[in-house]
Amino acid sequence: MKKMLFIYNPNAGTGVLKPKLSDVVDTFVKGGYEVTIYPTQKYHDGMEKMSSCPEGYDLIVCSGGDGTLDEVMTGMRMRNYNAPLGYIPAGTTNDFASSLGIPKDILEAAETAINGQPFPCDIGTFNDDYFVYIAAFGLFTDVSYETKQSMKNILGHLAYVLEGAKRIFNIPSYKIRVIHDGEEIEDEFIYGMVTNSRSVGGFKGIIGTDVVFDDGLFEVTLIKTPKNPLELNDLLGAIVMRQINPERMYSFKSGCVQFESMEAIPWTLDGEFGGAHEEVTVRNSMQAIQIMVKTEVAAGLSVENMKGKEK
């Protein structure tokens, strides 16, 4: 039999995995796998388990929210573990799974993990750390890691809205120099994100429609600090309409971006606290990890498919 390591977060999301755990494992075994199961016990436990587990697993599968996925992927990258990675989304937003077309249904996602197609997906390095699909700073980025898990479980997206509403009138602004592809930008920003996703915070299409996941490029969006209520209104209108307003935002693609500031700025990586930094270098690691996706979905995620459409 093939060997699988299954790491899951028993506290993720609304607990949708727990009542189906037996069926999920049964699906794996029927698929020809001898399964080693590990429920995470603490923060960063998924990373520690993955970085210390023995070699020889044919497939790694994790279940939880985006933070759990981030931990397991980080552990794999720390030791260059090259097995494919299956993902069963069980968190509150599950942005990355949504972007890759991984089913929301637990058992369908389990089937995809064992019978899908490995897709060579880009991931990011953030100084000496890793992230799967988003590195961000500024407005509300601390909400996801400060909101209590119990509140996320009960209220879902509303938990983020309520936490964010508490600080709408106290928006920090950061003066940052941004360097990419031979260009420099120096401005004041209330928010910035480097992403490889079609969904952020549960909202689809906010970055654009031509996002692919294996091209070696991130989508970078930087939102300028509004100087008056009119500029704030323009900015909110663009966000609601999911449009890039060039007067209020910078938007570009890049494989490497540097951020320099006079003060340490808190960052979030895949919804988890990524530390406070004055200097940050974000690099795209092209096609660095194999994610299991539905076979019929894989082509639509690839840069080669986008080139075909352009022709």
Side-chain angles (χ1 to χ4, degrees):
M1 296 181 75
K2 295 172 288 185
K3 295 178 66 177
M4 174 198 295
L5 175 59
F6 177 40
I7 301 173
Y8 74 95
N9 180 354
N11 299 312
T14 54
V16 291
L17 178 67
K18 284 183 180 180
K20 297 185 178 180
L21 185 58
S22 178
D23 291 333
V24 166
V25 175
D26 186 58
T27 298
F28 294 156
V29 174
K30 283 184 168 63
Y33 286 92
E34 177 184 331
V35 186
T36 300
I37 305 172
Y38 185 80
T40 58
Q41 305 295 304
K42 58 184 179 180
Y43 180 61
H44 275 172
D45 201 18
M47 179 184 69
E48 292 173 11
K49 178 63 178 177
M50 191 63 242
S51 60
S52 63
C53 73
E55 296 285 346
Y57 288 107
D58 300 286
L59 178 66
I60 308 297
V61 179
C62 68
S63 182
D66 292 330
T68 303
L69 175 65
D70 177 280
E71 287 190 16
V72 173
M73 182 280 298
T74 297
M76 294 180 73
R77 291 302 300 158
M78 287 170 63
R79 60 185 293 191
N80 291 318
Y81 207 106
N82 293 319
L85 175 62
Y87 180 40
I88 301 175
T92 308
T93 55
N94 305 308
D95 282 319
F96 194 62
S98 175
S99 296
L100 294 183
I102 295 173
K104 294 180 181 179
D105 181 84
I106 295 292
L107 295 183
E108 282 186 44
E111 285 281 356
T112 300
I114 59 172
N115 295 319
Q117 176 178 325
F119 174 75
C121 190
D122 299 347
I123 60 169
T125 60
F126 177 93
N127 289 349
D128 297 324
D129 207 343
Y130 299 92
F131 65 96
V132 178
Y133 76 97
I134 184 170
F137 69 86
L139 187 64
F140 302 156
T141 51
D142 59 343
V143 170
S144 59
Y145 59 78
E146 283 193 356
T147 306
K148 291 182 179 179
Q149 185 64 54
S150 57
M151 189 175 180
K152 292 182 190 178
N153 293 348
I154 295 168
L155 299 176
H157 284 300
L158 183 58
Y160 296 105
V161 175
L162 291 174
E163 283 293 318
K166 293 178 183 177
R167 64 202 79 180
I168 190 68
F169 297 110
N170 186 26
I171 301 173
S173 177
Y174 304 102
K175 188 172 183 179
I176 305 175
R177 185 159 72 117
V178 182
I179 305 164
H180 74 96
D181 307 295
E183 296 184 26
E184 288 191 18
I185 300 168
E186 192 160 347
D187 214 324
E188 290 194 18
F189 303 102
I190 58 169
Y191 181 79
M193 61 181 176
V194 182
T195 63
N196 194 35
S197 177
R198 293 173 183 168
S199 173
V200 175
F203 295 97
K204 293 184 178 180
I206 199 167
I207 299 160
T209 56
D210 61 341
V211 177
V212 292
F213 298 86
D214 62 349
D215 61 352
L217 298 173
F218 287 127
E219 284 67 39
V220 183
T221 304
L222 304 169
I223 299 180
K224 300 180 190 179
T225 303
K227 296 180 175 61
N228 54 58
L230 181 61
E231 290 188 3
L232 177 60
N233 190 56
D234 285 349
L235 176 60
L236 293 175
I239 293 172
V240 169
M241 297 299 293
R242 300 176 188 177
Q243 296 173 343
I244 298 297
N245 182 333
E247 294 183 6
R248 306 285 171 249
M249 309 176 187
Y250 295 95
S251 179
F252 56 88
K253 292 176 182 282
S254 181
C256 181
V257 189
Q258 294 173 264
F259 299 84
E260 299 176 358
S261 59
M262 297 297 292
E263 60 180 311
I265 297 174
W267 285 74
T268 178
L269 305 179
D270 298 327
E272 302 294 330
F273 184 52
H277 308 269
E278 294 178 11
E279 295 185 3
V280 165
T281 299
V282 179
R283 287 190 173 88
N284 186 296
S285 295
M286 186 175 179
Q287 302 181 13
I289 198 162
Q290 301 277 332
I291 301 279
M292 298 299 291
V293 301
K294 285 190 169 185
T295 302
E296 61 269 27
V297 171
L301 305 173
S302 174
V303 66
E304 290 301 321
N305 188 59
M306 292 297 293
K307 288 178 181 177
K309 286 183 179 179
E310 290 171 3
K311 292 177 183 178

